[in-house]
Amino acid sequence: MKNLFSNFKGDAFGGITAGIVALPLALAFGVSSGLGPSAGLYGAIFLSFFVALFGGTNTQISGPTAPMTAVSMVIIAGIIGANNGDVAKALPLILGVFVFAGIIQVGLGLLGLGKYIKYIPYPVVSGFMTAIGVIILITQILPAVGYYPKEDIAYVQTFKGEAKDAILHRIIDDAEGEEILSIGHFEQSIEKSKKITEADIDKEAKSLAAKNASGVIGTFRVLPNALQHINWLELVLAASTIFIIFGFKKITTAIPSTLVALLVVSGVAFGFGLDYKSIQEIPSGLPIPNLEIFTKFSLTSFTPYIFSAIALALLGAIDSLLTSVVADSMTKTKHNPNKELIGQGIGNSIGAIFGGIPGAGATIRTVVNINSGGKTKLSGMISGLVLLVILLALSPVASKIPAAVLAGILVTVGIGVMDYKGLKAIPSLPREMKVGPFMLSSEVVIMVTVLLLSTFWNLVNAVGIGLIIASLIFMKRIGDVTASHSGVKTLKNEEGWKDEQNFPENLKEHVYIERVKGPLFFGSTSDFQQMSKQIPSSAKVVVLRMCRMPYMDQTGLYVIEETLVELTNAGVIVLMEGLLEQPRYMMERIKTIPNIIPKDHLFKDFDSCVDWMKNHIEELN
């Protein structure tokens, strides 16, 4: 506790500043997610406080971030769509997925897996981050020009026929779910269908219109309509916000330009009584836990979203630990990755219970905190409390913020989150992979694949496919490297390594050597398998030089066992030199040693191996 207040003045200023910076972003991310500004604000409050309290990075400020919001937006839209556009009905399941994602993060931390997050390939991260930026930019076109599909009467009218069918199907589905099979119950369903009002159809049509216009592809669908119905006032508000955010940074960075843009443009719009569309109303008072997450939990409805929760948890882990590295470099400290994951998981789970969207360590807010004097966990806790005070005291005022202003803020976030470093490197990366008649860079292939699939299909699946492609390419490269440094060589025609130079001349005709360099695993065994087939019938001895093979997996283990059996059955004497600890352990576990290759055929170095052959020269000849 003493250490917690050791830098109270600096932590207070850092926390207050970070909280103020977080406010417009939290509101914007909440709106973008589809759950409203209050969800973003709740997420920022609980994440900032509890991650700081339980996490492993003293100066980190957590809250909703662009990557987490983009994935959350997909999950939210999918669950709402599966519940016929009924947000209230879908909300417990949505928040349940977020709670589970937080629990997974806690589990990752408890299992000590934080240190492995760094092995995610850069091209996958680069393609994903750039896709996040593209998604945000495209999906903010409609609110930036003041076009809302649900409010376009002509557009909604096109869904009326589909809306009535959807309502009828829902009545039938409900009847089947209740096992309504009798004629009397069937008649009740008919009566319900007769009670469908025009208002019911209009509501359903608006829901279908919004769903059809969601996401990147949905935006492109309705873009012609949007361009015909531009609200010039909304466009000016969004453009003014963008201009102030980028322009004010050139004047000073002491005051957050995002906050300046929010206050100035919202103040002008409200002060002059302009006719603009404001954001959804933010409830006043303390956040209330949503206990329906637990009371209405259904394993059947939750199961389809397990992998989405896992992906969300992993993304949050990567996002947070990358920010922790930035904080370490600025403060010359060392974060605890596993403790950080536990803190992030606790924060996301508690935030979701109170209706907040998930988040992660936020780089910009963390940098602001450090530059403003924050040094301990107290700064992050103060940041969360600042947002809570704003919620309690200023929620009616915040509800008057123009939606176009938040769209403008998100446009700048989308521009800033893209990985320009990775994009600039595309022309200069070596083209070493042949695809048909084309020579391509494997890194570029991975990055572009993740970028396109994330933008136009599914963020979660895109990352999974990117990881698979990256893993396959890595295994191919390792296999090529291993193959290039190994092979069966006759000592009569091959000089070999330095310690092989004085090999007895009378043995060279009958002794062959296999030099294995690098790991023997499932991606590098094909060349090794051919070894016994390449050895001529004159061979009496094969020496396997294993001193540069640090690792062997189960595939490699069985391949080498099969090779040893073939050689032994052919009457060839196999000698092993320099077998390292891990491969020897594997071979001993399945009794390859000593059942196939006796222990007296294992040698610590090549000289002792040569001495053995000299002593058994009669057998070899």
Side-chain angles (χ1 to χ4, degrees), residues 22 60 68 75 83 93 99 124 137 173 199 220 234 357 379 406 413 433 453 484 543 576:
Q60 181 142 284
M68 291 293 280
I75 295 172
N83 285 272
L93 179 56
V99 170
V124 175
L137 288 173
D173 290 341
F220 285 132
E234 302 283 336
I357 59 174
S379 59
L406 296 187
V413 171
M433 188 172 75
L453 292 179
S484 68
V543 179
M576 276 192 182

Side-chain angles (χ1 to χ4, degrees), residues 15-25 256 258-259 262-263 383 386-387 390:
I16 291 170
T17 308
I20 292 172
V21 171
L23 175 63
L25 295 173
T258 304
L259 182 64
L262 177 71
L263 294 175
S383 175
V386 167
L387 291 171
I390 292 173

Side-chain angles (χ1 to χ4, degrees), residues 450-485:
V450 175
L451 169 59
L452 294 177
L453 292 179
S454 297
T455 303
F456 296 104
W457 182 39
N458 184 287
L459 284 160
V460 176
N461 294 345
V463 172
I465 291 172
L467 288 173
I468 292 172
I469 295 173
S471 300
L472 292 173
I473 291 174
F474 171 75
M475 288 185 289
K476 175 65 168 59
R477 286 178 175 173
I478 292 296
D480 290 345
V481 170
T482 303
S484 68
H485 290 291

Side-chain angles (χ1 to χ4, degrees), residues 402-416:
V405 170
L406 296 187
I409 291 172
L410 285 172
V411 167
T412 64
V413 171
I415 294 171

Side-chain angles (χ1 to χ4, degrees), residues 214-285:
S214 65
V216 171
I217 295 177
T219 299
F220 285 132
R221 283 197 194 107
V222 299
L223 191 57
N225 287 0
L227 296 178
Q228 293 175 10
H229 299 85
I230 296 177
N231 185 318
W232 293 102
L233 172 61
E234 302 283 336
L235 180 59
V236 169
L237 292 176
S240 300
T241 303
I242 297 169
F243 177 78
I244 292 174
I245 289 174
F246 286 124
F248 195 79
K249 287 180 180 178
K250 296 181 179 180
I251 300 173
T252 180
T253 56
I255 304 174
S257 60
T258 304
L259 182 64
V260 172
L262 177 71
L263 294 175
V264 171
V265 180
S266 300
V268 170
F270 182 75
F272 284 90
L274 301 180
D275 184 19
Y276 63 86
K277 180 178 177 61
S278 61
I279 63 174
Q280 178 183 320
E281 184 177 351
I282 301 173
S284 57

Side-chain angles (χ1 to χ4, degrees), residues 373-435:
K375 291 183 180 180
T376 75
K377 294 173 176 287
L378 185 63
S379 59
M381 296 165 69
I382 290 175
S383 175
L385 293 174
V386 167
L387 291 171
L388 180 61
V389 170
I390 292 173
L391 170 68
L392 296 176
L394 300 175
S395 56
V397 176
S399 298
K400 303 296 182 183
I401 295 172
V405 170
L406 296 187
I409 291 172
L410 285 172
V411 167
T412 64
V413 171
I415 294 171
V417 79
M418 289 192 285
D419 181 33
Y420 297 102
K421 181 181 178 181
L423 292 172
K424 289 178 181 177
I426 289 177
S428 59
L429 290 173
R431 301 182 181 184
E432 81 293 356
M433 188 172 75
K434 189 172 183 179
V435 179

